[in-house]
Amino acid sequence: MGFDSSHEVPWPQLERLLSNWDAPSPKATGRNQTNTGEAGGHAFHAPLGSDAPVYKPPPVPYDGLQWRPGKVPYAELHCHSNFSFLDGASSPEELAREATLLGLEALALTDHDGMYGVVRFAEVAKEIGLRTVFGAELSFDLPKPQSGEPDPCGHHLLVLARDPEGYARLCRLISEAQLAGKQKGKPVYDLARLAELHGGHWLMLTGCRKGSVPKALAEGGPEAAERALNELIDVFGKGNVAIELWDHGFPTDSARNDALAELAAKTGVDLIATNNVHYASPERWQLANAIAAVRARRSLDEIEGWLPPAPTARIRSGEEMAKVFERYPGAVQR
């Protein structure tokens, strides 16, 4: 297959041609729809002059499901889908469904270094009445792609878009970083570029244990964590940074959360609770463990020491989150 580059074709026109947007429907032409099939409920339609199927998203599989508020208001602001390749274990549709069943006020999709799942997520969330937040977890200081590493290096920063402009700016940032890395799985971010782009349209969460603040706390203690937090405040402003707590049942979770809560009180930075979600429900826990083993290229026995002790990285209801974080007033509500 070749392309004649002697004529410039604008991208919108090329996309329209390749997607067959202007083709008449079979009903309009009276022709049989011979190149349309169903595979697992997903419809595929072949463009004119081609035998290759074009993917069409499946219909929303949750007919009749509508969002209702839970007993305790709570929005999950840190959540990975299976578009966080080999890290999340549930599809955007599964996550939206579980959040709706549990009555969450809203759900954020924050996949690693990309916005790949937001279209599917937004479509199903709109259908069932769930409010959405879009964001991403950015990976800094990667010397190489991290596949094959049981405990990937680098550090993370979780960025949430406050509005459509913030979403557009975040997409632009990620695209630039992926191109700068010149290698799949190795984006290159520049903190100065984030400072140029954010313009108050983003909220930064200090993130998981790979976040610069929790990581500094683990490696250098409270003073190091405060220095890391002040670096974020200097770049983004105090009102655009929040300290994140999470608890997956590890022995160190309570001590870390206590230290982070003290840091929030000392600096006047907002303290919020998330569950750092990696799958929708407990039934996906074993799949998540298997995915972690595949990512690390280890057997389940070899990677066992890095795996969580229970299915705790799931979506939790506001009521359950309130019980887990009752020692930190306002963190769940905020």
Side-chain angles (χ1 to χ4, degrees), residues 113-199:
D113 303 299
M115 314 294 280
Y116 315 107
V118 298
V119 173
R120 287 171 51 176
F121 174 57
E123 287 179 347
V124 70
K126 181 179 180 180
E127 185 73 18
I128 58 185
L130 175 68
R131 290 193 294 172
T132 56
V133 180
F134 302 136
E137 190 166 39
L138 310 182
S139 304
F140 287 77
D141 301 329
L142 299 182
K144 62 179 182 177
Q146 295 299 290
S147 59
E149 300 294 334
D151 190 19
C153 63
H155 71 271
H156 296 165
L157 177 64
L158 195 101
V159 182
L160 300 176
R162 295 184 186 273
D163 50 30
E165 177 63 23
Y167 172 81
R169 293 182 183 214
L170 182 55
C171 289
R172 186 183 314 150
L173 172 74
I174 293 172
S175 297
E176 292 176 356
Q178 295 287 7
L179 289 171
K182 299 180 180 179
Q183 194 174 5
K184 184 178 180 180
K186 184 182 173 292
V188 176
Y189 296 99
D190 179 19
L191 202 59
R193 180 58 174 156
L194 270 74
E196 292 175 8
L197 282 177
H198 82 88

Side-chain angles (χ1 to χ4, degrees), residues 158-323:
L158 195 101
V159 182
L160 300 176
R162 295 184 186 273
D163 50 30
E165 177 63 23
Y167 172 81
R169 293 182 183 214
L170 182 55
C171 289
R172 186 183 314 150
L173 172 74
I174 293 172
S175 297
E176 292 176 356
Q178 295 287 7
L179 289 171
K182 299 180 180 179
Q183 194 174 5
K184 184 178 180 180
K186 184 182 173 292
V188 176
Y189 296 99
D190 179 19
L191 202 59
R193 180 58 174 156
L194 270 74
E196 292 175 8
L197 282 177
H198 82 88
H201 295 280
W202 297 338
L203 174 66
M204 316 294 170
L205 305 189
T206 53
C208 62
R209 68 186 182 89
K210 291 291 184 178
S212 59
V213 176
K215 188 175 182 180
L217 177 64
E219 295 176 354
E223 292 184 359
E226 186 173 357
R227 287 194 297 270
L229 177 63
N230 285 331
E231 289 179 5
L232 295 178
I233 293 173
D234 290 342
V235 173
F236 303 111
K238 184 179 292 187
N240 296 317
V241 178
I243 291 178
E244 177 181 349
L245 306 182
W246 76 98
D247 192 322
H248 286 172
F250 284 94
T252 56
D253 283 353
S254 293
R256 180 200 61 244
N257 287 339
D258 286 347
L260 290 175
E262 290 178 8
L263 180 59
K266 180 179 180 181
T267 59
V269 172
D270 279 342
L271 185 70
I272 69 167
T274 82
N275 202 42
N276 190 9
V277 170
H278 285 73
Y279 42 89
S281 60
E283 290 75 19
R284 287 298 194 192
W285 178 42
Q286 291 185 344
L287 175 61
N289 289 344
I291 287 174
V294 171
R295 182 182 69 243
R297 298 176 187 170
R298 305 287 197 277
S299 70
L300 283 169
D301 289 338
E302 290 172 324
I303 202 175
E304 183 178 4
W306 282 282
L307 297 176
T312 48
R314 67 186 188 277
I315 294 180
R316 286 170 163 166
S317 68
E319 192 174 14
E320 184 177 3
M321 289 292 288
K323 291 179 181 178

Side-chain angles (χ1 to χ4, degrees), residues 7-27:
H7 301 285
E8 293 186 2
V9 180
W11 170 247
Q13 181 181 347
L14 178 61
E15 183 183 19
R16 181 173 292 277
L17 289 170
L18 293 175
S19 301
N20 198 29
W21 287 358
D22 297 323
S25 68
K27 289 183 179 180

Side-chain angles (χ1 to χ4, degrees), residues 65-70 72-79 92 95-110 118 120-135 160-162 315 332-334:
L65 178 63
Q66 287 293 313
W67 178 83
R68 297 290 184 274
V72 176
Y74 170 66
E76 179 55 64
L77 297 180
H78 188 162
C79 179
L95 295 165
R97 180 180 187 275
E98 188 69 13
T100 300
L101 290 172
L102 294 176
L104 268 62
E105 294 291 312
L107 178 65
L109 193 66
T110 57
V118 298
R120 287 171 51 176
F121 174 57
E123 287 179 347
V124 70
K126 181 179 180 180
E127 185 73 18
I128 58 185
L130 175 68
R131 290 193 294 172
T132 56
V133 180
F134 302 136
L160 300 176
R162 295 184 186 273
I315 294 180
V332 171
Q333 291 85 345
R334 197 171 295 115

